Amino acid sequence: MPHATLPEKTKYQHLFSLPVIVAALGYFVDIYDLQLFGIVRIPSLLGLGLTMEQADAVGTDIINYQMIGLLLGGLLWGILGDKKGRLSVLFGSIITYSLANVACGFIPQIEFMDKIEAYKWLRFVAGVGLAGELGAGITLVSESLPKELRAIGTSLVAGVGLLGAVVGTFTVRLSGDWTIAYFVGGAMGFLLLLLRVGVVESGIYKDITDKAHVMKGDFFSFFTNRERFVKYLKCIGIGLPTWFCIGILAYQSNQFGKAFGITEAIDPGLAIMWAYIGISAGDFGSGFLSQALRSRKKAIAWMMGFSLVGVLLFLFSGIKSAEMLYALCCWLGLGTGYWAMFVTVGAEQFGTNLRATAATTVPNFVRGALIPMNMLFVALKPSLNVILAGFAVGVVAYAIGFYSTLTIPETHDKDLDFLEV
């Protein structure tokens, strides 16, 4: 028996290895920076001279610029991660978004162009950089851990990382100045670069680096094989409910608060913070739930169902206080805390030569899907109302999400040492 205990201890030590720790801290900085505009959207735009009504419209435009950056960055970093290695992405992406965030802190001092236009383009550049962090980190951790620990390891990465949104909210509140929050984000990014120096490349990836005949990072190969293409679309579909809850319900919570008749002003920054507290807890738990059920699909389906109940309560339970709205945002976050699991599923579906491309592009296409969801939401509001428009968008997101989850191949305990041909 003593011989059986030692390997178990050694096995679980992998969860605290440098790749896992650095990926978790990297995702922490990533989420801090990714959600920072949502947190400072209203104070920053009011500070730049816009009215509250203008801030809602311009804020949506800036979010869309950031999401377009995420889409394009997902392609760039995903392909680079398979062609040049996972570490190249981890270094390149963080330099890009850290510089962009520092520049955002200087927006009030810009004189050579319109400040709002500068804000849009800097969030676009930040989006390009932010696109690489999660996929490369999840891919590196998935390939570095024993298969029975993959779900737990990636959940730890996301659980720690998603707290970045909480820290972002407190940074804004404690500093009292939205520009300082951008400077802090940039500084954390550059400090993270020092930690990454000691991280080594995935062994599974290194095994194919010298194999010239193996195609690496060929994005278009997702479209040349029907089975591969359908799996790819389903990987994206699984994640749609997550960004419906965050990008529509939490980001636009001030609009929903007015529609509910809440007299107290709703702060979207607080809504995002409480949602991410829930998401972090959900991500910590999702890996253990997957291990207990021995199924990625069942874990995601149960959590998606829990979040759907939260959506219905959010929209139709007659919320009358800011506290209840924030509490339901936390519920939504807890239910959509399968984010790491969904990205892990994307990584596990595809071979080593396409894994980083899949794991990086899939979550960023989900983030980019917020653009058509926003467009549909805005288009439906005049003919319906804020609540019913949100419900209509949610029906589409959850229908696709449940179908994709229930029909995609199971990947629990799947060996990742294989190639796409």
Side-chain angles (χ1 to χ4, degrees), residues 97-358:
Y97 69 71
S98 295
L99 288 172
N101 278 296
V102 170
C104 283
F106 288 108
I107 286 175
Q109 283 74 49
I110 289 178
E111 300 293 343
F112 61 88
M113 68 180 296
D114 180 76
K115 291 179 173 63
I116 299 300
E117 285 300 310
Y119 210 167
K120 290 178 181 179
W121 285 107
L122 285 173
R123 293 321 298 165
F124 169 81
V125 174
V128 172
L130 290 164
E133 185 72 40
L134 177 62
I138 291 292
T139 302
L140 183 62
V141 169
S142 296
E143 293 178 342
S144 300
L145 290 178
K147 63 183 180 181
E148 60 269 27
L149 294 181
R150 281 201 305 262
I152 296 175
T154 54
S155 292
L156 289 175
V157 169
V160 171
L162 291 163
L163 289 173
V166 180
V167 173
T169 302
F170 280 111
T171 302
V172 173
R173 289 183 169 272
L174 291 174
S175 67
D177 185 344
W178 59 272
T179 61
I180 291 176
Y182 279 120
F183 292 140
V184 170
M188 287 195 299
F190 289 122
L191 287 173
L192 186 63
L193 285 174
L194 300 177
L195 276 178
R196 291 208 163 133
V197 173
V199 180
V200 296
E201 186 61 86
S202 155
I204 292 177
Y205 178 79
K206 285 196 292 187
D207 288 342
I208 69 167
T209 53
D210 296 327
K211 297 178 180 178
H213 66 282
V214 176
M215 66 164 188
K216 304 181 188 76
D218 181 5
F219 176 72
F220 294 103
S221 65
F222 288 117
F223 306 93
T224 57
N225 178 285
R226 186 179 185 280
E227 180 182 358
R228 190 183 297 148
F229 176 62
V230 171
K231 283 197 299 183
Y232 187 69
L233 289 181
K234 288 179 179 179
C235 287
I236 296 170
I238 292 171
L240 293 183
T242 63
W243 268 88
F244 164 72
C245 291
I246 297 301
I248 301 295
L249 302 185
Y251 270 38
Q252 312 290 349
S253 55
N254 57 322
Q255 295 186 43
F256 285 99
K258 290 179 183 177
F260 297 148
I262 299 174
T263 55
E264 181 183 349
I266 298 299
D267 181 354
L270 277 180
I272 293 169
M273 183 193 79
W274 281 108
Y276 270 87
I277 289 173
I279 293 173
S280 181
D283 264 303
F284 273 123
S286 64
F288 294 96
L289 179 61
S290 174
Q291 288 297 105
L293 297 175
R294 301 192 63 79
S295 170
R296 305 277 192 262
K297 294 170 56 172
K298 290 178 182 178
I300 291 173
W302 277 108
M303 295 186 72
M304 195 181 292
F306 181 80
S307 73
L308 178 58
V309 173
V311 169
L312 296 175
L313 290 173
F314 184 96
L315 294 174
F316 301 117
S317 66
I319 301 173
K320 293 302 178 186
S321 70
E323 290 77 13
M324 183 57 70
L325 186 146
Y326 296 141
L328 282 170
C329 283
C330 189
W331 179 318
L332 295 175
L334 186 62
T336 56
Y338 64 84
W339 179 255
M341 188 69 56
F342 128 79
V343 179
T344 304
V345 168
E348 292 172 335
Q349 294 287 340
F350 302 99
T352 305
N353 53 327
L354 282 180
R355 187 165 297 127
T357 305

